Amino acid sequence: MVVLYGIVALFFVALIVIVLNASPKSQMARPAAAGRASATRTDPPEEDDDNDFDDDVMEYEPPPGVTRPEGDWEVFRNDQDIVGERYRMENSVAFLREIREAIQRAVAVEAPEMKFFGVRLRREPDNPHDPQAVAVDGFWLKDPKDQASAAHLHLGYLPANVAGLIAARLGPDAELGAELVGIEIDPDDDDDPVNVTIHVLNRPGANKRG
């Protein structure tokens, strides 16, 4: 009799084990692990090395601070649109191409901290139309580790009223700086096909009237 009870007990233990292994809860545990594994395959890709150029509308906005010159600067004019770009659209298009190539060169030699492209302001005291004129040039480094390798393209000018404010508040010899905010080119826009926006910078304390 004892042996018979033992056999019956073993039968029920085996039956319970079989039922547990076949239960829905046990089956649901397997897809969960597969889901975690598939999440790795669907992670978003890393950022492109070209810093998110928009080729559809020929537009580029560098990350804040990337083109700000080294040293201490104050903002004289924030988000300033330049003028005369429409007559130099080929220069703006070429500048965008040079920026892309400069970024790729800098990435290749791991020199992202270098100021390897940007904009610079250039006074034109001999300008026959306005001796206070301030030209805006785009620059890039052919060698991202050699500042002497810089090349330039003339993009346009600061508006005459802004150039006049610079002359009145900063003086003719004050050091000027600029930071590229963005470029947008739309050849189909007859009224305003090119927009170049910059921050105009001056050295701290140079602004006489604030």
Side-chain angles (χ1 to χ4, degrees):
M1 184 65 69
V2 174
V3 173
L4 179 60
Y5 284 142
I7 292 173
V8 172
L10 287 174
F11 172 78
F12 279 109
V13 169
L15 182 61
I16 291 171
V17 170
I18 292 172
V19 170
L20 287 176
N21 284 337
S23 67
K25 184 176 181 180
S26 176
Q27 294 298 324
M28 290 175 60
R30 295 191 184 97
R36 288 193 295 271
S38 64
T40 303
R41 295 194 297 271
T42 58
D43 284 343
E46 295 181 359
E47 280 192 15
D48 296 335
D49 290 338
D50 65 2
N51 271 12
D52 296 331
F53 280 84
D54 191 334
D55 292 319
D56 293 333
V57 294
M58 298 178 69
E59 181 178 4
Y60 175 59
E61 296 181 4
V66 166
T67 66
R68 192 179 184 93
E70 300 289 353
D72 295 328
W73 297 93
E74 293 178 345
V75 176
F76 184 81
R77 297 283 288 192
N78 198 48
D79 291 333
Q80 177 64 60
D81 291 332
I82 73 173
V83 297
E85 320 101 301
R86 64 180 303 157
Y87 306 111
R88 301 168 183 84
M89 181 162 30
E90 291 183 359
N91 283 3
S92 293
V93 172
F95 182 46
L96 281 178
R97 182 179 64 249
E98 296 295 348
I99 288 175
R100 182 195 295 271
E101 294 179 0
I103 290 172
Q104 292 172 345
R105 287 192 296 268
V107 169
V109 298
E110 298 182 353
E113 75 285 354
M114 301 293 290
K115 302 298 181 182
F116 48 85
F117 72 96
V119 285
R120 291 172 179 165
L121 303 183
R122 173 173 49 86
R123 288 183 172 89
E124 290 186 347
D126 298 327
N127 188 305
H129 303 289
D130 183 2
Q132 295 179 341
V134 179
V136 180
D137 294 334
F139 79 90
W140 66 95
L141 301 186
K142 296 179 180 179
D143 179 348
K145 292 189 175 183
D146 182 8
Q147 294 290 326
S149 71
H152 301 79
L153 280 171
H154 186 193
L155 303 179
Y157 287 89
L158 293 181
N161 66 314
V162 177
L165 285 175
I166 289 175
R169 296 185 181 182
L170 304 181
D173 300 321
E175 186 178 2
L176 302 177
E179 180 178 353
L180 178 64
V181 176
I183 303 177
E184 182 177 352
I185 303 171
D186 184 359
D188 296 328
D189 187 343
D190 295 333
D191 296 327
D192 197 12
V194 185
N195 286 289
V196 179
T197 307
I198 67 173
H199 296 323
V200 180
L201 311 174
N202 62 267
R203 291 298 187 183
N207 194 343
K208 300 173 185 178
R209 294 171 52 189

